Amino acid sequence: MRLINYGLMLGILAASSGQALAEDNVATEIRLLKDKLKELQRRVDSEAHKTGQIEAQAKAAPMPATYKALAVDPCAAGKVCYKGVALTFGGWVDLTGIYRSRNFASDTGSIYNFIPYPQSRNYYFPEARFSARQSRFSVLAEGNVDADTHLAGYGEIDFEGAAQTANSVTTNSFNPRMRQLSVEIDRSDLGLHVLAGQSWSLNTPSKSGIDPRGIDAPGVIDFELVPGFLAARQPGLRVWQDIGPEFKLAASVENSQTAFFGGNVPTVGTPAVGPQGVLNPNLQVNLTGPGGSFFNNLNNVSLNQVPDVTVKAAWDPRLGPYKLHVEAWALYHQLFDRFNSANHSYDTGSFGGHIFAELIPKTLDLQLYGARGVLGRFTASPFPDATVAQDGTVLPLTITAAAVGLIWHATPSLDVYSYAGLEKAKAAFANVRTVPFGYGNPLYNNTGCFTENSPAATCNGNTKEVRQITAGIYDTIYQGNYGTLKAGVQYSYTQRLAFDGVGGAPKTDDNIVMTQIRYYPF
């Protein structure tokens, strides 16, 4: 009996020891797991901290938005998709109200070079007008061919075109206008980008890097923007290369055109006396074939032998929380005409630059624009590119343009802005004895510019300079699931000054108040 009791006790002790050992093993494993979890949590926290720092740096000094890689499946990004291509729709519905102290029969925007002198009856008439023609629609289609190759197609239209049948009387039927239509190829492994089609010219200021869509335009209501801001949209081919994360180089060839003073087909005949003087009847400039052409036969296009060539460098340094964008460009443009069965050409070079800087991060921005050269067709005024002498010699017009702007982001929804800009032409003229030719000629007759309803021949008044100061506010009234609604108001004061001529140098001005209601459905 005792042996049995001892055996039973030994069995119970052994079982108890085994259970204790098992419990110790479980406790040890739990402790080890907890240690591992703590280590994993430490690593996760460390990575999250690093990620937070990187995101903060990226927000403070974002990389140029020239290439955005999509997910492997672009439809996973929550965008509208078609056969693996992400579609992004944009644009707005716009109603702009305009009041001018001088009437020059424009719809939206200010064609500053046409502000009338006191000779014109329009000088004495104010004008009030509404317009919805700045309404715009755009679509961006993009997708990845592979891990390194990205394709994007972009199209944009508005209603600022005006065929001969468009008017403001009954249906206000203004035709859609192609603003941009281009395809872009990006190779992330090579840092190489190629764009073909119609887009903003390479000399148009960008917000960062070499971005063909994200231009840094003055944030004003006026469709013609601000004097001193140069831009054009035209077809061409562009290539740019990333050199590190901050620097980019680009080159483009674009469709070339020349705006001649006196119109695309200057006055000709024997004799033909006018602002251009007497021109030989064989002078041919900017001619298009009548009818049978895809061009409007009332709008002549210039004859150019070679495309415009532009090179540009852009720098986006990282300066902590401050964003800075600096760019500089140079443009080659050849002027061309034909006279007495002979061709005449004149090679020109122009240059310019742009700076965008955050003076106070996310609060106060500075925009600076500057350019000089044969740039008439890029100006807001607009100025001509060239004029001609009696023998057909091409006389280029040098333009100096500059603008500065301050934008105050007063609240997350309210912006307050102000701009000042100017565009100034240098005279180019020639005389044949007492007969004047060219632009800004002091022998031109300006005696009638100061008297209402004087004959047109007594007020040549070639524009020398256009100046403007403007200020406005833009407020986001609503932003939510149903889109975004914005409204703004702007005032501008513009001066137009002419070259001295016989009778003096006329000048005029214009006060413009604009209001705008804009709805973004996308």
Side-chain angles (χ1 to χ4, degrees), residues 27-101:
T28 300
E29 290 179 1
I30 290 174
R31 185 174 66 254
L32 291 174
L33 287 173
K34 287 182 177 180
D35 291 340
K36 289 182 180 179
L37 286 173
K38 288 180 180 179
E39 177 63 21
L40 288 173
Q41 184 64 44
R42 186 188 65 78
R43 292 181 181 180
V44 169
D45 292 341
S46 177
E47 291 299 322
H49 180 67
K50 291 179 181 178
T51 302
Q53 286 182 325
I54 293 172
E55 289 178 350
Q57 291 174 357
K59 290 178 180 178
M63 293 286 290
T66 54
Y67 173 75
K68 294 181 180 179
L70 295 177
V72 175
D73 178 10
C75 297
K79 299 181 179 180
V80 179
C81 293
Y82 176 73
K83 294 184 178 179
V85 177
L87 302 177
T88 304
F89 297 97
W92 56 74
V93 178
D94 184 290
L95 177 63
T96 302
I98 311 161
Y99 174 83
R100 297 184 175 96
S101 62

Side-chain angles (χ1 to χ4, degrees), residues 98-101 104 108-113 115 218-229 369 380-381 383 400-406 417-424 463 465-472 490-497 508-514:
I98 311 161
Y99 174 83
R100 297 184 175 96
S101 62
F104 47 96
T108 59
S110 303
I111 306 178
Y112 311 118
N113 209 4
I115 300 173
V220 298
I221 298 174
D222 196 333
F223 187 76
E224 293 293 330
L225 301 174
V226 174
F229 175 80
Y369 311 90
S381 295
F383 281 97
T400 300
V404 58
L406 284 172
Y417 59 83
S418 62
Y419 290 90
L422 65 84
E423 294 170 352
K424 187 175 182 178
T463 302
E465 184 176 350
V466 173
R467 308 169 182 168
Q468 186 186 83
I469 56 172
T470 185
Q490 171 190 334
Y491 166 77
S492 65
Y493 174 70
T494 308
Q495 288 182 314
R496 175 191 175 195
L497 296 84
T508 185
D509 58 15
D510 196 5
N511 294 278
I512 303 174
V513 176
M514 288 188 171

Side-chain angles (χ1 to χ4, degrees), residues 340-406:
N340 280 350
S341 302
N343 295 342
H344 303 268
S345 62
Y346 193 104
D347 297 323
T348 71
S350 306
F351 61 91
H354 168 60
I355 295 175
F356 171 86
E358 284 187 331
L359 302 181
I360 302 175
K362 299 182 180 181
T363 303
L364 186 63
D365 300 337
L366 171 69
Q367 292 172 307
L368 293 172
Y369 311 90
R372 181 175 173 83
V374 181
L375 299 164
R377 72 189 181 98
F378 293 96
T379 60
S381 295
F383 281 97
D385 292 306
T387 182
V388 292
Q390 195 272 346
D391 62 356
T393 302
V394 180
L395 305 174
L397 300 181
T398 300
I399 305 295
T400 300
V404 58
L406 284 172

